[in-house]
Amino acid sequence: MKRVITYGTFDLFHIGHLNILKRARALGDHLTVAISTDEFNIGKHKQCVYPYSHRAQIVEAIKYVDEVIPETRWEQKIEDVKNYSIDIFVIGHDWEGKFDFLKEYCEVVYLPRTEKISTTEIKNTVQNGKSISK
Ligand code: C2G
């Protein structure tokens, strides 16, 4: 049983989020997603539209996701890898290199981001009364 973990805010859930969860799950047999709490997001200077409870329930409903846990601190990753017997840590390549310290504990995989979509892009698009391109 190969266990995978990934971390994120997953606000205004979009195709970029779905793609990384699908790809992360495909690397193993079980995917845990650590969702940033509202308090942790303040530290990330992210103002979420959806509260943690909504973001967690939406991600938990995704068929690629087996378990959701809260992300409350930057420093929790090593203990998460140990506590959840994680084999592979996955995150988008916008974080390339930032989590290489985990290589001592598990495989670290940075996956390409999905182009032309982001929570910020969605907010701007809605404000301008436009729609997201295919
Ligand atoms: N993502 C992606 N393509 C996009 C947008 C996001 O692949 N177009 C990926 C990100 O790389 C990340 C995940 O989706 O792996 C969640 O993205 P965010 O919700 O923006 O999370 P982030 O702010 O990167 O938080 O401790 C790590 C942080 O919690 C990561």
Side-chain angles (χ1 to χ4, degrees):
M1 162 85 106
K2 199 171 258 195
R3 302 173 69 87
V4 185
I5 196 166
T6 191
Y7 293 73
T9 300
F10 296 99
D11 193 24
L12 298 182
F13 197 84
H14 57 66
I15 192 68
H17 295 143
L18 188 65
N19 285 337
I20 195 146
L21 295 177
K22 182 175 182 179
R23 291 171 189 156
R25 177 64 177 74
L27 293 173
D29 312 290
H30 182 282
L31 174 61
T32 299
V33 184
I35 307 260
S36 311
T37 59
D38 297 331
E39 299 73 20
F40 183 61
N41 273 315
I42 291 166
K44 283 165 64 176
H45 311 297
K46 282 200 165 189
Q47 172 60 43
C48 280
V49 175
Y50 295 162
Y52 172 79
S53 66
H54 291 205
R55 293 182 284 110
Q57 287 178 69
I58 289 168
V59 170
E60 206 160 33
I62 303 290
K63 69 178 182 180
Y64 307 117
V65 177
D66 299 286
E67 177 178 32
V68 163
I69 62 172
E71 178 185 28
T72 59
R73 296 173 298 118
W74 290 108
E75 305 76 19
Q76 72 182 75
K77 294 186 175 68
I78 293 175
E79 61 194 79
D80 288 347
V81 168
K82 290 178 184 168
N83 295 343
Y84 293 93
S85 315
I86 298 297
D87 302 290
I88 309 174
F89 166 90
V90 174
I91 201 155
H93 70 19
D94 43 315
W95 292 93
E96 185 81 38
K98 297 287 189 313
F99 300 113
D100 287 358
F101 63 88
L102 290 171
K103 287 182 176 172
E104 214 178 308
Y105 307 96
C106 65
E107 206 182 322
V108 173
V109 175
Y110 300 102
L111 292 176
R113 280 171 68 94
T114 302
E115 301 294 320
K116 294 186 293 191
I117 188 81
S118 68
T119 307
T120 308
E121 176 118 11
I122 292 169
K123 288 177 185 171
N124 296 340
T125 302
V126 168
Q127 265 157 13
N128 302 334
K130 298 225 174 13
S131 60
I132 295 288
S133 55
K134 289 186 184 53

